[in-house]
Amino acid sequence: MRDYLEAVLDLLEEHALNRERVDWARVRREAEAQIADATATVTGQAYGGAEVERRYIREGAAVVRDLDRHRPKGWVVDLRGNAGGSMYPMLTVLAPLLGHGHLGSFVDAAGEVSGRWLLRGGVVYVDDEALSAIPHPYLPAEPEPPVAVLIDGRTMSAGETTLSQWPARPIGPAASTATLPSPRTSPRRGMPTRSPTPWRGYGPFGPRPQGGAG
């Protein structure tokens, strides 16, 4: 996170329209102080069958609850390198940050909606079909907390679907390079099984122990 912040500040200092009027040393000090004690970061991608998805949600949810105990002032959703998998466990883990209601839709080649994604009670639905392996109804200490999203050129497929949840919400920016479009299909069924990718949690006191996830 600190390396990413430094890269963004370097770009701003070099290219910002009013860069000559800015005390960049002070901006950097204040930014460093804020990320040291005010953010929580969650990462992870999901591949596998039902049992893998259950484990993914349990362990991702545990990271979210652990970070929330420290009452962060903001959250970072790190989708860098997230090549996809199934979007349903990802969205289930992030349910406390997403709230509830309509998340998006599948659209067919004719432009007709073929399935609406909904979040209710910590469960992701497509129309009336529940697709979360287990629910995650946890409510964060701060309702509708500010969120920033990190992406890069390896963010694709279900990673991009997860990203798509944030622009319509009153949150922070998606800091990124371009994502990588994916021609993969059948998002309802998820992607083929791969080796587990750990969820990682970063809070006010630095990196936390990692647990496996699917």
Side-chain angles (χ1 to χ4, degrees):
M1 180 62 185
R2 181 165 282 102
D3 290 343
Y4 204 91
L5 174 65
E6 288 296 328
V8 170
L9 290 175
D10 287 345
L11 286 171
L12 289 173
E13 186 170 359
E14 183 177 355
H15 299 291
L17 182 62
N18 296 314
R19 59 188 178 275
E20 301 299 332
R21 304 178 186 177
V22 176
D23 182 346
W24 290 103
R26 181 175 62 82
V27 168
R28 289 176 185 275
R29 286 195 303 271
E30 291 178 355
E32 287 282 341
Q34 288 185 31
I35 67 166
D37 66 4
T39 62
T41 301
V42 289
T43 72
Q45 60 193 61
Y47 293 98
E51 180 52 40
V52 174
E53 290 191 3
R54 283 191 287 271
R55 179 160 56 92
Y56 177 96
I57 294 170
R58 284 195 300 269
E59 296 183 3
V63 169
V64 170
R65 292 193 301 270
D66 180 51
L67 293 174
D68 195 49
R69 287 192 304 107
H70 298 282
R71 301 296 186 266
K73 297 177 182 177
W75 291 77
V76 176
V77 175
D78 190 349
L79 298 175
R80 291 174 297 176
N82 190 315
S86 171
M87 72 178 184
Y88 304 115
M90 294 187 208
L91 296 176
T92 303
V93 168
L94 295 172
L97 307 181
L98 292 171
H100 64 276
H102 182 214
L103 300 179
S105 300
F106 293 124
V107 179
D108 63 22
E112 299 294 326
V113 172
S114 58
R116 298 174 73 245
W117 320 334
L118 307 168
L119 181 58
R120 299 194 299 263
V123 175
V124 178
Y125 293 82
V126 173
D127 294 331
D128 294 324
E129 181 183 1
L131 290 168
S132 297
I134 55 176
H136 183 204
Y138 180 79
L139 298 177
E142 179 183 344
E144 298 185 1
V147 178
V149 184
L150 306 181
I151 58 177
D152 63 11
R154 296 174 297 162
T155 305
M156 67 180 89
S157 188
E160 282 192 298
T161 303
T162 303
L163 167 68
S164 73
Q165 302 309 306
W166 307 105
R169 300 173 188 274
I171 58 172
S176 70
T177 57
T179 59
L180 180 62
S182 172
R184 296 174 180 174
T185 59
S186 242
R188 181 175 296 207
R189 299 299 174 194
M191 296 296 113
T193 302
R194 291 190 184 178
S195 301
T197 299
W199 274 98
R200 295 192 298 275
Y202 299 91
F205 307 107
R208 303 194 183 288
Q210 297 188 13

